[in-house]
Amino acid sequence: MNELSDIKTFAHKNSVPIMLEEGSDFICNYIRTHNIKTVLEIGTAIGYSTIKFAEVRSDIQITTIELDIDRHIAAKQNFSDNGLSDRITAVYGDALTYQTDQKFDLIFIDAAKAQYVKLFEKYKENLTSNGVIISDNLSFHGMVDDMTLTHNDSTKKLVRKIRRYVDYLKSNQEFHTEFFEFGDGVSVSSRI
């Protein structure tokens, strides 16, 4: 699919989680205003946000990791359809075991919410000196602030894990984190 609107429609019809528009627009603006050149995206899905980020400027290089093989294949096709295969490296695998020495201006965490702390700890060494880690879904449809919005036990457990991640970010002595209500709740963490 070479139109973002088609990818978005496909995602909604097939229950593929993609970023809310307001959140992805916030990150695109961040990329634009902070001269971001290299991005590591953890959680590709079918490549919707990856393509949006790559289209901000023609000199951006993105590495994106996806654990689901069907989504990985679909994302690679979408990158090819959009003429971006030369600037997007699509990795199939588990971000918790993937190894790279590359440094990135921006690391975007949008994967398994229960693994956010581990992902942050694992990849913080892959930041450039002025790099940032951006995390998505910190509001989780409003449930992080209001647990009464769910009565599902597995969702409650997940929300508690997101809350722990937010607490981890707030108490982190190595990084300063700003929280924004764009999309489904976004944070930007930079070294102190």
Side-chain angles (χ1 to χ4, degrees):
M1 290 174 271
N2 59 2
E3 294 291 331
L4 279 173
S5 58
D6 293 339
I7 297 171
K8 186 176 183 179
T9 300
F10 177 89
H12 288 130
K13 283 184 180 174
N14 294 278
S15 301
V16 176
I18 61 171
M19 278 195 86
L20 296 176
E21 214 63 38
E22 193 181 27
S24 60
D25 288 348
F26 170 80
I27 296 174
C28 287
N29 189 50
Y30 191 94
I31 289 169
R32 191 175 298 108
T33 57
H34 290 82
N35 199 29
I36 300 296
K37 298 275 172 82
T38 54
V39 176
L40 172 64
E41 178 184 49
I42 304 169
T44 314
I46 57 173
Y48 178 75
S49 55
T50 324
I51 292 168
K52 282 190 77 170
F53 301 162
E55 288 182 343
V56 172
R57 273 199 330 271
S58 61
D59 60 347
I60 294 171
Q61 292 288 325
I62 300 174
T63 298
T64 184
I65 308 168
E66 177 56 50
L67 183 58
D68 182 287
I69 187 64
D70 294 328
R71 291 178 181 173
H72 168 75
I73 291 168
K76 283 187 74 162
Q77 186 61 55
N78 288 333
F79 301 152
S80 177
D81 290 350
N82 282 271
L84 295 168
S85 297
D86 61 328
R87 297 197 292 117
I88 299 173
T89 302
V91 176
Y92 167 63
D94 187 340
L96 289 171
T97 58
Y98 177 70
Q99 296 294 325
T100 181
D101 293 327
Q102 188 176 347
K103 299 288 186 182
F104 299 93
D105 298 325
L106 190 156
I107 296 174
F108 177 48
I109 302 176
D110 188 19
K113 313 305 168 231
Q115 303 300 326
Y116 272 26
V117 172
K118 288 180 183 175
L119 291 168
F120 191 103
E121 284 293 320
K122 177 176 173 59
Y123 287 103
K124 68 182 183 182
E125 300 309 320
N126 293 95
L127 281 177
T128 56
S129 57
N130 293 317
V132 295
I133 298 177
I134 297 183
S135 307
D136 190 31
N137 301 117
L138 300 187
S139 170
F140 205 66
H141 316 294
M143 292 179 224
V144 171
D145 288 331
D146 185 0
M147 190 78 88
T148 63
L149 294 175
T150 181
H151 301 288
N152 177 308
D153 283 339
S154 62
T155 305
K156 285 181 181 179
K157 286 179 186 172
L158 182 58
V159 168
R160 283 194 281 276
K161 288 177 181 171
I162 296 170
R163 283 180 173 175
R164 279 198 287 277
Y165 180 65
V166 169
D167 291 341
Y168 161 84
L169 293 176
K170 288 179 178 177
S171 63
N172 193 310
Q173 300 296 305
E174 205 178 342
F175 286 81
H176 168 72
T177 300
E178 291 182 85
F179 296 89
F180 301 91
E181 293 183 13
F182 298 112
D184 196 25
V186 178
S187 65
V188 178
S189 303
S190 53
R191 286 193 192 279
I192 295 173

